[in-house]
Amino acid sequence: MELRETIRRRQAKVGIIGLGYVGLPLAVEFALHGFDVTGFDVDAWKVSEINAGRSYIGDVTTADVAKSVDAGRLRATVDMSMLHEMDAIDICVPTPLRKTRDPDLSYVVQAVDAVKARLRSGQLVILESTTYPGTTEEVVRPALEEQGLKAGIDFFLAFSPERVDPGNTKYSTKTIPKVVGGVNGESTELASALYESIIDTVVPVSSTQVAEMVKLLENTFRAVNIGLVNEIALMSHRMNIDVWEVIDAASTKPFGFMPFYPGPGLGGHCIPIDPFYLSWKARQSGFEARFIELAGHVNGSMPAYVVERIGEALNTRKRAINGSRIHLLGVAYKKDVSDVRESPALDIAELLERRGAVVSYSDPYVPRLQHGRLDLRSIDESTVNGVDCAVICTNHGAFDYNAIPRRYPLVVDTRNALKGIPADNVFRL
Ligand SMILES: NC(=O)c1ccc[n+]([C@@H]2O[C@H](COP(=O)([O-])OP(=O)(O)OC[C@H]3O[C@@H](n4cnc5c(N)ncnc54)[C@H](O)[C@@H]3O)[C@@H](O)[C@H]2O)c1
């Protein structure tokens, strides 16, 4: 049967490579819509959790995984040879940066190699990992064509950026519009048809490069605006102006303004990283992406600024960072998630530790924190005592904000979490 018809009848076998924050929600969504889904991962623990019907990703319920597995619609494996049986393959593997801030495509290359070895006529391959414009055409396509099959003719190839927002209860995989760009019209149509089976709105674009650039524009937009508002926060502090009040008032403008909020720095697997994929690619064309570099500079300086504020707070009690007990409230990169990748709290903890502080933390989502020389366990917040200064790094809903200024001698609040709570021992950004 033709792939289009197989998709229409929801009989297409869907393979998802990489069962992380992006791949698992997608796999479950396909399974809940009646597709036969196989998840491929190199992590044997994740594979066994899925097969046991358990979720390890906050946004995916164990009930949905169990339901899909029990119905025989979802299974996971480390055995890449099963890729041959798939009609459509979605690649959702990590795209980190190297230490030099150059793109690290090694996971994508590894996944593409696994597909290449089993590629057959009629298959649809879609890359979802965030990457620089040109990756699908310049890296994925030539690799897959090495066996003699031609993209757009013998098999179909597209790029579709993932826009999932972990912890966001308003928008999910199903309700976030999906942008799709194929290497030719038929690839775009088939990939769109596949996503239309599970996602409310699909947005086809003219090429893989446009689809790749869309994602980088979205994330660069955030990185630059966060950089701007962080700079406004730094200058407001110098001018003795409450930046949070300014943002709230500016947000009353019904058009032409969108609020962004300052904080301890960027975190997560996307905003601190993706813009550098774009600036790297731009550099290859002799173009310097100045906004990206500048925003990276401002955002990257925020953890050191937070430490400066901690020093100022302790100074009011004639204390130094060296020897003080400093307790971080929240270490995840944003509220109500367990993800600590690139979290600014890691940098803050490290900077404090290097200055001689005794660092501890509470985070209901992160039981253990390992970073550099630090290996800490979360302390139940209600039992913390004897610390010199608390630092709100993440505004998790679980914290009792009304009690915090009373429970700690000094508080540095990087998230305006204590807004409206009167206290004279609180230092804001
Ligand atoms: N996390 C987000 O909020 C988010 C949002 C949008 C886009 N993205 C992008 O999606 C991609 C995936 O991100 P993520 O957060 O899901 O990463 P993740 O680390 O949570 O998951 C990736 C998974 O891929 C697996 N993996 C690595 N190499 C593999 C291979 N060769 N074969 C099979 N499995 C392999 C890992 O074991 C892991 O389970 C990245 O490009 C990221 O930038 C992430």
Side-chain angles (χ1 to χ4, degrees), residues 114-169:
V115 176
K116 175 178 79 179
R118 287 100 189 169
L119 190 67
R120 60 171 172 79
S121 266
Q123 277 182 320
L124 168 65
V125 181
I126 307 170
L127 179 63
E128 295 226 5
S129 304
T130 306
T131 182
Y132 58 79
T135 307
T136 311
E137 279 288 355
E138 294 160 20
V139 179
V140 181
R141 181 180 190 151
L144 292 179
E145 288 186 338
E146 270 172 30
Q147 311 287 11
L149 296 176
K150 287 270 164 255
I153 299 168
D154 303 312
F155 70 97
F156 306 97
L157 179 61
F159 181 84
S160 180
E162 183 48 64
R163 288 165 152 174
V164 68
D165 182 18
N168 190 327
T169 48

Side-chain angles (χ1 to χ4, degrees), residues 85-97:
E85 294 168 26
M86 302 298 119
D87 297 303
I89 298 168
D90 258 306
I91 301 175
C92 308
V93 295
T95 42
L97 288 174

Side-chain angles (χ1 to χ4, degrees), residues 243-253 257 259 261 416 419:
V243 69
W244 306 95
E245 189 183 353
V246 172
I247 298 167
D248 283 349
S251 303
T252 59
K253 185 177 178 186
F257 183 81
Y261 297 95
N416 203 25
K419 179 182 176 182

Side-chain angles (χ1 to χ4, degrees), residues 49-377:
E49 286 298 288
I50 297 301
N51 290 333
R54 287 191 290 266
S55 172
Y56 44 82
I57 298 282
D59 293 339
V60 177
T61 64
T62 280
D64 280 346
V65 174
K67 190 163 101 185
S68 305
V69 171
D70 289 347
R73 295 213 190 91
L74 175 65
R75 69 205 63 79
T77 180
V78 292
D79 176 9
M80 301 293 158
S81 69
M82 284 177 67
L83 284 167
H84 184 74
E85 294 168 26
M86 302 298 119
D87 297 303
I89 298 168
D90 258 306
I91 301 175
C92 308
V93 295
T95 42
L97 288 174
R98 298 188 190 283
K99 282 208 165 62
T100 52
R101 286 202 165 177
D102 288 350
D104 176 1
L105 282 188
S106 59
Y107 300 93
V108 171
V109 168
Q110 217 188 338
V112 169
D113 282 348
V115 176
K116 175 178 79 179
R118 287 100 189 169
L119 190 67
R120 60 171 172 79
S121 266
Q123 277 182 320
L124 168 65
V125 181
I126 307 170
L127 179 63
E128 295 226 5
S129 304
T130 306
T131 182
Y132 58 79
T135 307
T136 311
E137 279 288 355
E138 294 160 20
V139 179
V140 181
R141 181 180 190 151
L144 292 179
E145 288 186 338
E146 270 172 30
Q147 311 287 11
L149 296 176
K150 287 270 164 255
I153 299 168
D154 303 312
F155 70 97
F156 306 97
L157 179 61
F159 181 84
S160 180
E162 183 48 64
R163 288 165 152 174
V164 68
D165 182 18
N168 190 327
T169 48
K170 195 167 168 203
Y171 296 104
S172 63
T173 302
K174 185 169 163 42
T175 58
I176 300 171
K178 192 105 173 88
V179 171
V180 179
V183 295
N184 65 344
E186 206 172 352
S187 296
T188 309
E189 279 169 31
L190 285 167
S192 300
L194 181 70
Y195 290 126
E196 275 160 6
S197 324
I198 63 160
I199 289 169
D200 295 346
T201 309
V202 172
V203 185
V205 295
S206 62
S207 66
T208 55
Q209 290 91 335
V210 168
E212 288 158 340
M213 192 67 157
V214 166
K215 175 72 185 176
L216 293 182
L217 169 62
E218 291 167 6
N219 283 2
T220 301
F221 173 81
R222 285 191 63 74
V224 168
N225 277 290
I226 294 168
L228 172 65
V229 84
N230 276 333
E231 191 172 77
I232 297 281
L234 298 180
M235 70 175 87
S236 296
H237 177 65
R238 286 280 179 93
M239 295 188 274
N240 214 9
I241 295 169
D242 181 344
V243 69
W244 306 95
E245 189 183 353
V246 172
I247 298 167
D248 283 349
S251 303
T252 59
K253 185 177 178 186
F255 51 87
F257 183 81
M258 177 191 263
F260 284 82
Y261 297 95
L266 296 181
H269 187 33
C270 295
I271 313 295
I273 292 173
D274 302 348
F276 293 102
Y277 267 69
L278 184 52
S279 59
W280 177 86
K281 185 64 178 173
R283 236 181 358 261
Q284 312 297 303
S285 319
F287 189 91
E288 189 197 347
R290 286 169 294 171
F291 273 111
I292 294 175
E293 298 298 332
L294 184 58
H297 182 70
V298 175
N299 292 328
S301 70
M302 293 310 286
Y305 175 65
V306 172
V307 171
E308 200 182 305
R309 293 291 283 147
I310 296 167
E312 285 168 13
L314 287 166
N315 201 38
T316 63
R317 304 287 161 99
K318 297 188 169 50
R319 295 206 57 130
I321 289 176
N322 194 350
S324 288
R325 288 191 58 194
I326 301 177
H327 190 70
L328 307 185
L329 295 170
V331 292
Y333 84 91
K334 68 172 181 176
K335 69 183 287 193
D336 301 340
V337 302
S338 60
D339 197 348
V340 294
R341 291 179 297 179
E342 313 291 328
S343 175
L346 302 177
D347 290 336
I348 293 169
E350 195 179 329
L351 289 170
L352 289 171
E353 202 253 353
R354 268 199 248 146
R355 282 161 179 70
V358 181
V359 180
S360 55
Y361 82 100
S362 295
D363 192 314
Y365 296 90
V366 186
R368 185 173 181 185
L369 186 69
Q370 290 172 294
H371 179 67
R373 291 194 338 220
L374 291 169
D375 185 359
L376 305 171
R377 307 235 172 216

